[in-house]
Amino acid sequence: MLASGGGSNLQALLDAIGRGDLAAEIVGVFSDRPTAPALLRVAEALRWSVDARMQPDRAQFDSTLAEAVAGVQPDWIICAGFMRILGHAFVERFRGRLVNIHPSLLPRHRGLRTHARAIAAGDTLHGASMHFVIPELDAGSVIAIVEMPILHHDSAPSLAARLLPREHVLIVAVAQLLAQGRLSEHDGKTHLDGHALFRPMRLDLHGTLTLPSQEPAA
Ligand code: GRF
């Protein structure tokens, strides 16, 4: 897991594992911020951090991080609130095993300040997306989304606060599919059980991922 912030998404995974709802193991938490609260959510032996600002350049940070990540031999690498842009070499090294949770309905609002930008754009729908990571920022194929309405009195903080618990359900549901070996990326498309998805899966109100083909026609 790669995280720079609070680590509530990491906690959601840890809780699901603890409840027996997610058959997975967190083998390391990696951060570019040694003070990131996310690190404190796991045992010291699983924590790794290097202050990215102390590294001579991005390539050096990326290769140090890559060596550390490779050292724990993860099946999957999940980024949640990891605030460094991962360079080309890092992404290519782990491509196909690297996923990210992004707080917008991609391809809308790549990058930062997604909640404020969704409101400013007059969007009526907002949400979060889990996607495979490619070198282009927030542009990899989307695995699954969770949607929610933007209310007329919403501010960026209120929207973020309502979205975060939904992100937690989304990340656990997608992690379950990852752990079961059911997801892969080929030719820039998400595959589930070996079949390309033409649209992302969607989290329903019960916290279940539904396939596009199971949705009623519009
Ligand atoms: C989440 O909103 C995630 O989508 C975004 O950063 C936030 C991280 O939250 N990229 P946390 O550190 O998991 O609490």
Side-chain angles (χ1 to χ4, degrees):
M1 185 104 189
L2 271 54
S4 306
S8 67
N9 280 289
L10 166 62
Q11 191 63 52
L13 294 172
L14 292 167
D15 291 347
I17 293 168
R19 287 194 306 269
D21 289 345
L22 174 60
E25 186 188 354
I26 304 288
V27 292
V29 175
F30 299 82
S31 187
D32 58 325
R33 281 187 52 219
T35 56
L39 289 164
L40 301 177
R41 296 183 187 267
V42 293
E44 204 169 347
L46 302 187
R47 297 175 202 158
W48 181 97
S49 67
V50 158
D51 192 338
R53 293 166 307 180
M54 306 303 248
Q55 295 284 300
D57 54 36
R58 191 168 89 178
Q60 183 62 50
F61 174 79
D62 273 16
S63 68
T64 308
L65 175 66
E67 284 310 307
V69 169
V72 300
Q73 300 185 298
D75 295 323
W76 293 99
I77 302 158
I78 301 180
C79 304
F82 188 67
M83 299 309 285
R84 300 278 305 178
I85 294 176
L86 294 164
H88 200 277
F90 186 97
V91 173
E92 288 303 340
R93 178 165 179 177
F94 297 108
R95 183 138 181 199
R97 297 193 281 147
L98 187 58
V99 300
N100 179 46
I101 185 160
H102 180 78
S104 81
L105 294 173
L106 290 172
R108 286 187 77 70
H109 311 306
R110 294 174 181 163
L112 297 173
R113 298 182 54 252
T114 56
H115 312 300
R117 286 160 57 212
I119 292 171
D123 294 356
T124 53
L125 267 186
H126 190 47
S129 310
M130 287 230 29
H131 65 95
F132 283 100
V133 176
I134 64 171
E136 192 185 341
L137 183 67
D138 299 328
S141 71
V142 179
I143 300 166
I145 59 167
V146 59
E147 290 177 327
M148 56 179 255
I150 296 181
L151 308 177
H152 69 275
H153 57 264
D154 261 325
S155 61
S158 74
L159 204 49
R162 274 194 296 124
L163 181 58
L164 197 57
R166 291 170 164 85
E167 290 185 44
H168 298 159
V169 181
L170 180 68
I171 200 169
V172 169
V174 171
Q176 182 71 282
L177 294 177
L178 294 173
Q180 291 169 339
R182 298 180 61 192
L183 285 169
S184 57
E185 186 218 17
H186 303 290
D187 303 327
K189 288 197 177 70
T190 300
H191 285 62
L192 175 69
D193 298 331
H195 301 287
L197 291 182
F198 294 98
R199 278 190 293 151
M201 290 176 280
R202 182 189 299 239
L203 197 72
D204 70 14
L205 291 173
H206 309 288
T208 305
L209 288 174
T210 59
L211 285 168
S213 58
Q214 293 175 339
E215 290 167 13

